């Protein structure tokens, strides 16, 4: 059994690789990140190449400590300060005015930068030892299922990596919530590990940016692409629990155990007790297993539209979208 204990030497070597302009995959509490030195435009360009990511999709910058915020942004508003105190370290990304240390490629040319402080000891030590902000998207190929284990990462990106730190499965299991603070009022761009309700408890009303963008358009809220998080196997989203499989070699993804399990080629139950936190932690891994099971289709039963269920439904809808 791999016990995922990584020693300081391994983290130090990975930090040196980052300082030398290399790519290192590392665990965070949300999903694994594909990291590069955020102040090095050439290193960041390698991220886009490795992922096949369109250049219009900006990348999040990661800090070890909220106290370093001023090194990447020109202005920390009272709302940003309040959110940082409330949710960092943790699964919240804030879009703020971009500072000069961050080259435009990181933000796809936008005048803003997405920033977060991850809540994972390996990520924190890595960023501290690298001694610079680390740009890191989720460590999957563009549009594909996000990685919550090191094996998910190497399955998609092995040949592009200069290093990978295996920290075991990610605790939260979906990406950070992205909130845009560059306008008059906070705007939620992506649902994630911090719920809309939690945000509003701290800062009052937070508008939700709706809608998706076609893949080939520069977007004010990039990453809101209709098709994303997608398995290779076709996935069908249903609102009522399916009574029976639609055909042979169909797999089922469900929050809780269905009344009948007859006829399904594979069933992934995310939480026997219907707990959304547990379901979120296992969500992408279940999707990876279904995708690896050589099924003809995956049927996914939608989640309750509350709390983390909103982030999960959002990912299911994108995974099921055709284009
Ligand atoms: O939990 C996470 O956020 C993970 C871990 C590794 O930190 N990272 C992640 O990165 O999910 P990525 O690249 O897969 O998704 C980043 C999202 C995209 O939707 C991107 O468009 C948005 O954040 N984003 C980043 N910077 C932005 C900016 N300046 N303005 C608007 N959206 C931004
Ligand atoms: Mg991603």
């Amino acid at each position: 059994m791999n016990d995922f204990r990584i020693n300081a030497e391994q983290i130090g070597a990975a930090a040196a690789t980052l300082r030398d302009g290399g790519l290192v995959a590392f665990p965070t509490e949300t999903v694994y990140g594909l990291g590069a030195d955020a102040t090095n435009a050439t290193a960041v360009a390698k991220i886009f190449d490795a992922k096949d990511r369109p250049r219009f999709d900006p990348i999040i910058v990661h800090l070890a400590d909220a106290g370093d915020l001023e090194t990447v942004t020109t202005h920390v508003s009272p709302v940003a300060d309040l959110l940082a105190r409330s949710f960092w370290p943790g699964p919240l990304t804030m879009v703020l005015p971009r500072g000069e240390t961050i080259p435009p490629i990181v933000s796809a040319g936008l005048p803003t930068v997405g920033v977060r402080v991850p809540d994972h000891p390996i990520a924190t030590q890595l960023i501290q030892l690298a001694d610079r902000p680390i740009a890191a998207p989720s460590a999957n190929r563009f549009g594909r299922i996000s990685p919550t284990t090191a094996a998910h990462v190497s399955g998609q990106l092995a040949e592009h990596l200069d290093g990978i730190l295996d920290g075991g499965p990610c605790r939260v299991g979906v990406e950070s919530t992205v909130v845009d603070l560059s306008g008059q009022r906070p705007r939620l761009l992506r649902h994630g590990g911090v719920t809309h309700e939690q945000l509003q408890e701290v800062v009052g009303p937070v508008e939700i940016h709706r809608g998706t963008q076609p893949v080939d358009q520069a977007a004010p809220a990039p990453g809101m692409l209709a098709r994303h998080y997608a398995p290779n196997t076709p996935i069908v989203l249903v609102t009522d629990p399916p009574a029976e499989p639609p055909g042979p070699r169909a797999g089922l993804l469900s929050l809780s155990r269905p009344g009948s399990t007859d006829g399904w080629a594979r069933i992934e139950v995310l939480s026997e007790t219907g707990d959304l936190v547990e379901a979120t932690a296992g969500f992408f891994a279940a999707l990876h297993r279904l995708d690896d099971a050589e099924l003809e289709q995956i049927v996914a039963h939608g989640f309750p539209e509350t709390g983390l269920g909103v982030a999960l439904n959002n990912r299911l809808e994108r995974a099921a979208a055709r284009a």
Side-chain angles (χ1 to χ4, degrees):
M1 265 291 271
N2 190 342
D3 66 2
F4 308 121
R5 256 174 305 172
I6 287 192
N7 60 40
E9 214 172 298
Q10 286 168 290
I11 302 179
T17 302
L18 288 172
R19 279 199 302 274
D20 289 344
L23 292 186
V24 173
F26 63 96
T28 80
E29 80 281 29
T30 58
V31 300
Y32 275 72
L34 177 61
D37 175 355
T39 65
N40 177 342
T42 312
V44 173
K46 288 188 203 166
I47 294 180
F48 285 92
D49 288 345
K51 285 195 57 144
D52 252 334
R53 182 181 176 108
R55 297 282 175 126
F56 61 73
D57 197 0
I59 297 176
I60 296 170
V61 167
H62 297 69
L63 302 174
D65 191 287
D68 299 334
L69 196 47
E70 268 125 18
T71 65
V72 298
T73 181
T74 53
H75 179 62
V76 181
S77 68
V79 175
D81 186 58
L82 180 60
L83 285 173
R85 284 172 199 281
S86 306
F87 296 107
W88 282 355
L92 181 73
T93 294
M94 294 197 258
V95 174
L96 300 170
R98 177 165 53 84
E100 268 174 23
T101 47
I102 303 301
I105 183 173
V106 172
S107 300
L110 295 170
T112 55
V113 61
V115 195
R116 84 177 192 98
V117 177
D119 185 14
H120 195 293
I122 295 175
T124 306
Q125 283 179 56
L126 177 69
I127 303 165
Q128 262 165 1
L129 291 172
D131 197 23
R132 62 206 60 202
I134 298 301
S138 52
N140 51 278
R141 292 180 73 84
F142 180 70
R144 294 293 163 196
I145 308 172
S146 301
T148 55
T149 66
H152 294 158
V153 178
S154 35
Q156 298 192 50
L157 292 172
E159 71 273 25
H160 298 284
L161 297 175
D162 299 306
I164 179 163
L165 294 172
D166 187 346
C170 299
R171 175 172 57 81
V172 174
V174 286
E175 294 84 346
S176 61
T177 299
V178 180
V179 60
D180 182 1
L181 299 179
S182 67
Q184 295 282 63
R185 294 197 190 83
R187 224 168 38 126
L188 192 155
L189 301 184
R190 177 177 73 179
H191 292 281
V194 170
T195 65
H196 188 218
E197 294 92 323
Q198 287 174 314
L199 277 179
Q200 298 203 122
E201 270 168 32
V202 172
V203 293
V206 176
E207 181 199 332
I208 298 176
H209 173 88
R210 302 214 182 259
T212 54
Q213 310 280 340
V215 175
D216 59 353
Q217 266 178 31
M224 306 295 288
L225 302 172
R227 184 170 168 79
H228 213 89
Y229 311 108
N232 291 309
T233 316
I235 168 162
V236 180
L237 185 52
V238 297
T239 45
D240 294 319
E244 55 187 33
R249 299 227 53 79
L252 177 67
L253 178 69
S254 178
L255 172 58
S256 45
R257 193 163 289 282
S260 162
T261 56
D262 293 347
W264 294 96
R266 182 170 187 111
I267 297 183
E268 291 286 346
V269 174
L270 293 175
S271 168
E272 294 292 346
T273 59
D275 176 48
L276 282 171
V277 174
E278 183 187 4
T280 304
F283 175 75
F284 282 127
L287 214 47
H288 277 281
R289 283 192 297 272
L290 286 164
D291 202 22
D292 291 342
E294 292 175 3
L295 302 167
E296 266 161 34
Q297 59 176 305
I298 299 166
V299 176
H301 179 209
F303 298 91
E305 188 68 12
T306 172
L308 288 169
V310 181
L312 292 178
N313 283 332
N314 174 274
R315 281 156 184 75
L316 272 187
E317 281 157 24
R318 284 162 212 267
R322 295 259 167 261

